[in-house]
Amino acid sequence: MRILNIARRHSKKKIMTDKLKMLHVNLMVSNVQNTLDYYESIGFSTVQKVPKELPEWAMVQKDQVSLMFQSTNSLTTEFPQLEGQLSGKPLTLWIQTENIDNYFEKIKGKVKIVKELGITAYNGASEFVIEDNNGFILHFSNMEL
């Protein structure tokens, strides 16, 4: 009986499944430290930066949202096909936000507002849009997906 059980275990094929676990964006910026300073001013925390002095790459996080930033020089060295691409444009990031009124009040004096906080006609959500110090458009919305 023992030999039969061993044979059964070895005859079963392992089923490998593909699974995407997470998405992080890595954004090309001209100055990683200036970008960290900006995002820290609107409530994000620096999770990691490399190297610690004059960082070429860093990650920030606020609640469940994280963003990575890499210097133009570092990123184009890693991926030469990005040479000549504009940092910061064209890109928009949509961020689902709880307590959107509260967050807007906290950051409105620290950011360039593209669209003021308001109710959208097309979906009835409260939303506002800002442009960060690199030209990236961040769209904050309380719409549930």
Side-chain angles (χ1 to χ4, degrees):
M1 188 60 136
R2 186 172 192 280
I3 294 173
L4 182 57
N5 286 337
I6 292 171
R8 283 186 185 146
R9 277 189 296 199
H10 288 292
S11 68
K12 290 183 181 179
K13 292 182 181 177
K14 285 189 176 182
I15 299 173
M16 301 291 281
T17 60
D18 292 332
K19 182 178 180 182
L20 302 179
K21 294 179 68 175
M22 190 176 297
L23 171 69
H24 288 281
V25 295
N26 188 31
L27 304 171
M28 183 167 59
V29 299
S30 59
N31 187 304
V32 174
Q33 188 58 57
N34 286 350
T35 302
L36 293 177
D37 294 343
Y38 175 86
Y39 277 86
E40 287 172 357
S41 80
I42 62 169
F44 283 74
S45 299
T46 299
V47 176
Q48 187 177 6
K49 60 183 180 176
V50 178
K52 292 199 184 288
E53 300 296 321
L54 300 172
E56 290 291 315
W57 176 90
M59 177 185 270
V60 298
Q61 184 171 0
K62 179 170 174 30
D63 306 315
Q64 296 177 2
V65 173
S66 59
L67 301 168
M68 298 186 301
F69 303 104
Q70 191 167 347
S71 72
T72 301
N73 183 54
S74 172
L75 201 55
T76 56
T77 298
E78 186 174 352
F79 302 106
Q81 62 269 39
L82 295 177
E83 186 70 42
Q85 298 295 315
L86 295 177
S87 174
K89 297 182 181 179
L91 181 68
T92 66
L93 301 171
W94 186 90
I95 302 168
Q96 186 178 23
T97 309
E98 289 183 11
N99 301 317
I100 194 167
D101 298 320
N102 186 50
Y103 188 55
F104 180 74
E105 288 300 316
K106 282 183 180 177
I107 70 169
K108 70 180 181 182
K110 302 174 184 177
V111 299
K112 179 179 178 181
I113 297 173
V114 175
K115 290 184 181 177
E116 288 282 341
L117 178 65
I119 305 296
T120 62
Y122 55 89
N123 65 10
S126 290
E127 299 182 344
F128 70 92
V129 181
I130 67 171
E131 181 178 336
D132 82 355
N133 64 319
N134 298 291
F136 295 115
I137 301 297
L138 282 68
H139 186 142
F140 296 88
S141 176
N142 71 351
M143 186 177 89
E144 296 286 328
L145 293 180

